Amino acid sequence: MLIRKASCVTALAAAILASPPARAEATLRIAMTASDIPTATGLPNNGFEGMRFLGYPIFEGLVLWDLTRTDKLAGLRPGLAEKWEQDPADNKTWIFHLRRGVKFHDGTDFNADAVIWNLDRYFNNNSPQFEPPSSAMSRARVPIMGSYNKIDDETVAITTTKPASYFPYMAVYLLFTSPTSFEKAGRDWTKVATLPAAGTGPFRITKVVPRQEADLARWEGYWDSGKMAKVDNVVLMPIPEANSRLAALRSGQVDWIEVPPPDGLASLKSAGFTITTGSYPHVWPWFYNIGATNSPFKDVKVRQALNYCIDREGLVALLNGTAEPSVGWLKSADPDFGSPVNRYKYDPTKGKTLLAEAGYTAAKPLSFKAMISNSGSGQMLPLPMNEFLQQNLKEACGVNVEFNVIEWQVLLTAARATPDSPNLQGAMVLNISSPSSDAGVMARYFSSANFSPNGFNFEQWKDDDFDEALKTISEATDPKAISAAYRKAHERLVDNPPWLFIVHDLNPRAMSPKIKGFVSPQSWFVDLTLVSLQ
């Protein structure tokens, strides 16, 4: 009996030694620039950084971005809709054919009823699930939403208020949450994130601790077997201060940081960390508050003057080459940049001449308040950058700028205020980094139909030639006519500027050498499913 027991023990030990060791779970830890965890109900706040990390990885749209390439602007790919087309009988109506067999993370079905339920959440004030914060963002991003209806369980129709060839580029921002999440939370959106909320994406939320971390886990039931995540878990941490993010990376607290401080890049490289940069559709401007009652920016000469007064090359040097000068909404090398009359460069003499023609001189200097953030999505390093511009404008053109520094999400909310709103506290400028990816975004920001608070035209800028060009872009079917109109529209943005064009970000990130497979697409977003840890 003793011999038999010993032999069993020996056999068990041999089996344990022969079996491969259990694989350790791979956890990717990311330091965001946000000061808090973006909202986790399915349409996150905190701008596009919120969409990058608490949006697309968990909650998806009918249309998704293709984030697998670096050689061209990110395009669109089928998402929760397998395909879509304009109704041949009505060019304002789009038909979306839904993907079958998709489940939310809670096991419930994604179908046409879930689509309509979520659209009511955003666009129907009288629906039980109406969510004001998500509605405000969605209406600003899709200002031409008209009606929508279920055709059958796998088909929905969405009708816009006017023809829009670029509507799929707007639909990509409408994300879908399981209706069951709302019911389980007692129909209270403030409690939905604590469930946590269920989406359909390659990751699911497992935990959210405000201002500390959000934990994601790979979703084993993801509908796209070809895009299963390679890491088991993702931990997202809000670290708004750049040097604190740098310290977290060096100490091993995180594996990846957004926007490393420029003066730390060389030492990070020498220590073996990976630095990634890449062109993407980004512009870092000042928005002029043209609509305010006593705004100095009603005069186009003042708006042009500041574009000649700033030293963009000097600012790029401050950023250690992680940005490039911006002289328009698009990059100057873009084929759709056009041939505007104004070719902005550092020319204080011309800037001061234009200011004098507008009535601003050394005896009566231009003075205004700018509202800026201390961090945030796409904001790069807003405090030192704005301090550089403040000193630059004073020394070059005698312009006095006062700053009101607020939190990023508060600044985003301010961008939807009316020009004389008390929320702006007298600000005549907002510093908000912005996308420049497609005609849909151009329409959102600059169409005179999208004045705040109903759209993203905070400036309340109106240019008849621009609006006419945008109408052609929306309605034309000839690619040559659309491209010509796009160039014309951009020329108006340069010559009649609603913004002070400052720099284009080059999207710097710093990562542990353990990270493999990362792609830096020409987009504000990233595909976390491609990333692995070794």
Side-chain angles (χ1 to χ4, degrees):
M1 187 69 180
L2 290 173
I3 294 174
R4 191 178 301 120
K5 189 177 292 186
S7 64
C8 289
V9 172
T10 301
L12 179 60
I16 292 172
L17 291 172
S19 63
R23 182 181 69 85
E25 287 197 345
T27 298
L28 173 65
R29 300 160 301 167
I30 300 174
M32 305 181 295
T33 68
S35 59
D36 196 2
I37 298 297
T39 48
T41 59
L43 194 73
N45 63 6
N46 272 276
F48 278 2
E49 186 173 54
M51 293 288 281
R52 183 185 305 138
F53 293 125
L54 260 295
Y56 294 120
I58 305 108
F59 308 96
E60 298 177 304
L62 301 175
V63 184
L64 295 175
W65 294 104
D66 180 356
L67 303 172
T68 60
R69 301 180 59 169
T70 62
D71 59 337
K72 64 177 184 178
L73 283 177
L76 302 178
R77 64 181 178 93
L80 295 177
E82 291 183 319
K83 60 180 180 178
W84 56 87
E85 72 272 348
Q86 281 179 292
D87 186 335
D90 177 10
N91 66 353
K92 293 190 293 183
T93 297
W94 292 77
I95 309 298
F96 291 88
H97 304 272
L98 307 184
R99 194 174 297 279
R100 299 184 182 191
V102 176
K103 298 281 188 182
F104 286 104
H105 299 149
D106 58 14
T108 59
D109 292 328
F110 169 80
N111 52 30
D113 290 330
V115 172
I116 300 303
W117 187 92
N118 276 274
L119 294 179
D120 278 345
R121 163 194 177 183
Y122 299 137
F123 299 103
N124 181 356
N125 297 37
N126 296 318
S127 68
Q129 67 269 29
F130 181 66
E131 184 190 8
S134 291
S135 173
M137 290 186 283
S138 296
R139 293 183 188 209
R141 290 169 178 166
V142 192
I144 57 173
M145 177 63 77
S147 61
Y148 41 86
N149 63 282
K150 171 184 174 180
I151 296 176
D152 56 43
D153 282 347
E154 284 83 39
T155 318
V156 296
I158 297 178
T159 301
T160 55
T161 56
K162 58 184 178 181
S165 62
Y166 45 77
F167 178 69
Y169 281 92
M170 291 185 167
V172 76
Y173 298 111
L174 298 174
L175 306 187
F176 295 92
T177 304
S178 167
T180 303
S181 294
F182 184 65
E183 297 298 329
K184 286 178 67 175
R187 297 192 167 196
D188 183 347
W189 282 111
T190 63
K191 297 178 181 177
V192 168
T194 65
L195 294 175
T200 61
F203 292 92
R204 61 185 178 86
I205 302 171
T206 57
K207 183 175 71 172
V208 175
V209 182
R211 295 195 179 272
Q212 184 174 324
E213 69 178 72
D215 296 354
L216 314 180
R218 179 176 57 225
W219 170 231
E220 302 295 350
Y222 188 46
W223 57 265
D224 188 347
S225 60
K227 290 193 72 67
M228 295 293 289
K230 294 178 174 59
V231 296
D232 300 287
N233 306 292
V234 177
V235 177
L236 302 167
M237 303 180 190
I239 306 180
E241 206 278 314
N243 286 317
S244 297
R245 291 195 297 275
L246 176 65
L249 181 64
R250 285 188 173 281
S251 68
Q253 180 186 356
V254 298
D255 309 296
W256 158 342
I257 64 173
E258 297 284 282
V259 196
D263 57 4
L265 296 181
S267 63
L268 283 173
K269 286 181 181 178
S270 65
F273 291 96
T274 301
I275 308 297
T276 70
T277 57
S279 174
Y280 76 119
H282 173 284
V283 59
W284 194 91
W286 282 1
F287 294 5
Y288 294 131
N289 186 351
I290 299 169
T293 301
N294 297 313
S295 173
F297 299 114
K298 292 184 185 298
D299 192 329
V300 66
K301 291 181 178 179
V302 177
R303 306 198 303 269
Q304 291 172 341
L306 296 197
N307 272 292
Y308 283 108
C309 286
I310 60 169
D311 180 7
R312 298 171 177 86
E313 296 288 353
L315 184 55
V316 167
L318 174 71
L319 296 170
N320 202 9
T322 57
E324 56 189 332
S326 169
V327 291
W329 188 66
L330 297 173
K331 299 187 178 187
S332 56
D334 193 300
D336 290 319
F337 187 88
S339 301
V341 174
N342 288 273
R343 291 285 183 168
Y344 298 124
K345 59 181 180 179
Y346 186 39
D347 189 345
T349 299
K350 186 163 187 173
K352 286 189 285 189
T353 298
L354 286 166
L355 286 172
E357 291 174 1
Y360 296 101
T361 63
K364 182 192 172 185
L366 173 64
S367 302
F368 59 88
K369 181 189 292 185
M371 192 172 275
I372 68 174
S373 67
N374 55 5
S375 66
S377 167
Q379 289 295 88
M380 305 177 68
L381 301 172
L383 296 181
M385 291 171 72
N386 278 297
E387 288 166 358
F388 176 94
L389 292 169
Q390 181 184 47
Q391 182 177 352
N392 170 193
L393 287 169
K394 178 66 174 177
E395 294 176 353
C397 293
V399 176
N400 300 315
V401 183
E402 175 188 349
F403 291 136
N404 182 9
V405 183
I406 59 177
E407 195 172 83
W408 172 232
Q409 185 56 42
V410 178
L411 181 58
L412 286 177
T413 301
R416 294 194 290 271
T418 52
D420 289 315
S421 169
N423 292 340
L424 296 175
Q425 301 174 44
M428 293 295 151
V429 155
L430 301 186
N431 169 222
I432 299 179
S433 58
S434 306
S436 53
S437 54
D438 55 81
V441 172
M442 178 184 273
R444 275 169 41 200
Y445 275 97
F446 304 116
S447 169
S448 61
N450 295 332
F451 280 7
S452 60
N454 299 316
F456 270 136
N457 190 339
F458 161 80
E459 305 79 12
Q460 305 215 347
W461 177 80
K462 188 178 190 310
D463 183 288
D464 292 340
D465 290 340
F466 174 89
D467 282 340
E468 186 62 32
L470 190 62
K471 186 173 186 291
T472 300
I473 295 169
S474 302
E475 299 178 2
T477 56
D478 178 8
K480 290 184 178 179
I482 292 173
S483 185
Y486 199 45
R487 288 194 298 273
K488 176 63 177 178
H490 189 262
E491 288 168 358
R492 296 308 303 150
L493 289 177
V494 176
D495 286 331
N496 184 17
W499 293 358
L500 173 61
F501 302 110
I502 302 170
V503 293
H504 299 291
D505 187 10
L506 290 180
N507 214 9
R509 293 182 171 94
M511 300 178 175
S512 161
K514 297 186 298 182
I515 292 180
K516 306 297 180 185
F518 172 75
V519 172
S520 181
Q522 292 191 35
S523 170
W524 283 64
F525 312 111
V526 297
D527 188 343
L528 290 180
T529 68
L530 301 174
V531 178
S532 63
L533 285 170
Q534 296 179 7

